[in-house]
Amino acid sequence: MESAHAIAATRFALGRRPGDPVPADPAAWLDSQLAPGLPAPTLPEGVPPTLPGIFAAAAEDNESVRAGMGRANQQRIVRGEAEAFIAHAIVTPNGFRERLVAFWANHFTVARGKAPYTVGHFVREAIRPHILGRFDDMLVAATRHPAMLAYLDNQGSVGPGSPAGQRSRRGLNENLAREILELHTLTPAAGYTQADVTAFAKVLTGWSFAPGREPFGFIFRPAAHEPGTKTVMGRVWPESQEGGLQLLAWLGRHEATHRHIATKLVRHFVADDPPPEAVEAIFAVLRETEGDLGAASRALVRLPQAWSMPLAKLRAPYDYVIAVLRALEAPPEAAERAFGTLQFLGQPLWNARAPNGWPDVASEWAAPESMIRRVEWASGVSARGAGRDAAEVAEAVLGPLCRPETLR
């Protein structure tokens, strides 16, 4: 195996399984993983695939709680969704595609602590279908999903001048508007103000969801929407739901947004300190294609720095655990144990501590306690893998990237 094959599997994908075929052209192999119609995780029996089913199961649990019982359905949904996601990552031949899904799910962080039983559906329906489409389409899908509306408290945001605001004590909530501007799109470098945040929050009033009736998902509540036009970033946006859709589309295609996500993509796949020329290359693709994420993903594969720079990224716990289990050719059933391992290593799946998601630089993961826990887990895994020849596994997984000192 040549170094380019190992780089493709390590830098872009989820790590090799020893039995994986070695592609003749690593870049073309990565491109092939961006084709439409490739398999997605299969949900286990008992986990509803649709929002109506999920909300119905949650409603049954609410009745159980009132009767003094636990939330068995919600727990089953959360674990089932998470373990299906991990199991698919362990065995999929399309590791690059799955890395992109995980990257964008982290960009649009939704934590199961506040949106427990809908976060898996959020990843399946708001993120996965859009990873190779236009960024503004993903932005709209993520913003309108019940998981995001609940996580950032927009479902109860009421315009002070709306009919609902006039007759109730509920008021404006700025969380969703602030995080879209700060984390999902422009970043503060674009120069927006607190007044823009407040106006944007008014644009998003009425954006909510209905868990107990049709359509069992996003709904627009006109009575809670702040009437009149709003000015955000020097532009006037119409009232009603259309104003929010227009503003999100504009933010998703903004050059500041393209530069932000170009920087994040290069940091994730190339280096903690993103090479400026690599960022400029991805930014140019996004600008010229109006945010085509498929084009940006293919351009990532063709960055010279991706093949010439050292593989110095420290894997976050999720990427590390998946790579180890793939190296040991673990079966999908290993996902059940891996779910707990991620908690132990400090990166519980879909449960980041803040809306900015999990960090993507080594300094955030290399604390002594974190590294000791990795060593403890790796020791236990290697004990269960007794009988395998370590040098053979290293050659099959890392090839020439594994230095002689490491092999000794």
Side-chain angles (χ1 to χ4, degrees):
M1 179 170 59
E2 298 178 0
S3 61
H5 302 110
I7 289 172
T10 305
R11 188 186 291 283
F12 290 104
L14 292 167
R16 281 181 53 78
R17 291 174 67 94
D20 289 347
V22 177
D25 182 340
W29 172 67
L30 293 169
D31 280 348
S32 71
Q33 299 179 42
L34 306 180
L38 294 177
T42 301
L43 292 178
E45 186 176 352
V47 175
T50 64
L51 276 176
I54 292 170
F55 285 135
E60 291 178 13
D61 272 356
N62 291 336
E63 292 299 323
S64 298
V65 169
R66 282 190 279 271
M69 302 167 63
R71 297 182 182 274
N73 288 343
Q74 295 180 22
Q75 293 169 2
R76 184 177 68 251
I77 291 169
V78 171
R79 285 296 296 262
E81 293 266 19
E83 289 175 12
F85 185 85
I86 295 169
H88 186 68
I90 292 171
V91 300
T92 182
N94 304 309
F96 182 31
R97 191 185 195 92
E98 293 308 303
R99 279 282 297 279
L100 289 167
V101 173
F103 171 86
W104 288 113
N106 192 53
H107 180 78
F108 289 104
T109 286
V110 170
R112 49 187 166 89
K114 286 186 68 175
Y117 46 87
T118 54
V119 62
H121 186 273
F122 172 81
V123 175
R124 285 191 286 114
E125 298 297 329
I127 301 300
R128 183 176 290 276
H130 299 286
I131 61 168
L132 303 174
R134 293 171 62 102
F135 177 76
D136 56 297
D137 290 335
M138 185 190 290
L139 175 62
V140 170
T143 303
R144 286 161 51 100
H145 195 279
M148 182 67 77
L149 293 168
Y151 177 58
L152 292 176
D153 307 303
N154 202 82
Q155 79 279 14
S157 183
V158 174
S162 69
Q166 294 292 311
R167 63 174 182 265
S168 76
R169 294 183 178 181
R170 291 189 301 166
L172 192 66
N173 190 297
E174 298 182 354
N175 289 352
L176 180 58
R178 179 177 293 104
E179 305 306 359
I180 290 174
L181 292 174
E182 180 180 345
L183 302 176
H184 302 161
T185 61
L186 303 176
T187 79
Y192 63 82
T193 67
Q194 175 57 40
D196 291 317
V197 174
T198 300
F200 187 14
K202 291 179 178 177
V203 171
L204 294 177
T205 51
W207 286 44
S208 188
F209 63 93
R213 59 180 175 83
E214 294 287 349
F216 298 103
F218 175 82
I219 59 170
F220 178 71
R221 301 184 190 275
H225 180 69
E226 180 70 10
T229 60
K230 294 91 179 170
T231 301
V232 181
M233 299 287 289
R235 292 172 175 254
V236 178
W237 306 96
E239 65 179 358
S240 192
Q241 183 185 175
E242 185 58 30
L245 293 173
Q246 290 181 20
L247 179 48
L248 287 174
W250 181 76
L251 290 171
R253 299 174 194 175
H254 198 285
E255 285 199 1
T257 299
H258 293 162
R259 185 169 295 281
H260 174 47
I261 61 179
T263 303
K264 289 190 69 170
L265 282 166
V266 175
R267 178 180 293 119
H268 183 74
F269 286 99
V270 181
D272 286 2
D273 187 12
E277 58 274 22
V279 173
E280 286 298 320
I282 303 304
F283 167 65
V285 171
L286 289 167
R287 181 183 57 196
E288 292 164 8
T289 63
E290 295 190 318
D292 186 327
L293 299 181
S297 300
R298 287 184 284 272
L300 274 171
V301 171
R302 283 156 181 81
L303 288 173
Q305 299 85 355
W307 304 94
S308 62
M309 291 185 68
L311 283 163
K313 290 284 294 184
L314 176 66
R315 282 176 164 131
Y318 172 78
D319 288 335
Y320 175 65
V321 168
I322 297 300
V324 169
L325 295 176
R326 289 176 66 86
L328 295 178
E329 297 184 292
E333 292 74 22
E336 182 177 359
R337 186 188 293 265
F339 181 86
T341 297
L342 292 172
Q343 183 83 33
F344 174 70
L345 295 182
Q347 193 185 18
L349 187 67
W350 302 334
N351 208 19
R353 292 182 289 269
N356 58 349
W358 296 111
D360 209 1
V361 293
S363 60
E364 296 290 336
W365 296 112
E369 182 181 355
S370 299
M371 299 309 293
I372 289 171
R373 289 193 172 201
R374 289 197 192 207
V375 171
E376 290 176 354
W377 179 73
S379 178
V381 169
S382 64
R384 290 194 296 274
R388 295 175 181 265
D389 184 273
E392 289 181 2
V393 173
E395 169 60 30
V397 173
L398 296 174
L401 300 182
C402 190
R403 296 181 297 180
E405 307 94 296
T406 304
L407 284 176
R408 284 198 299 270

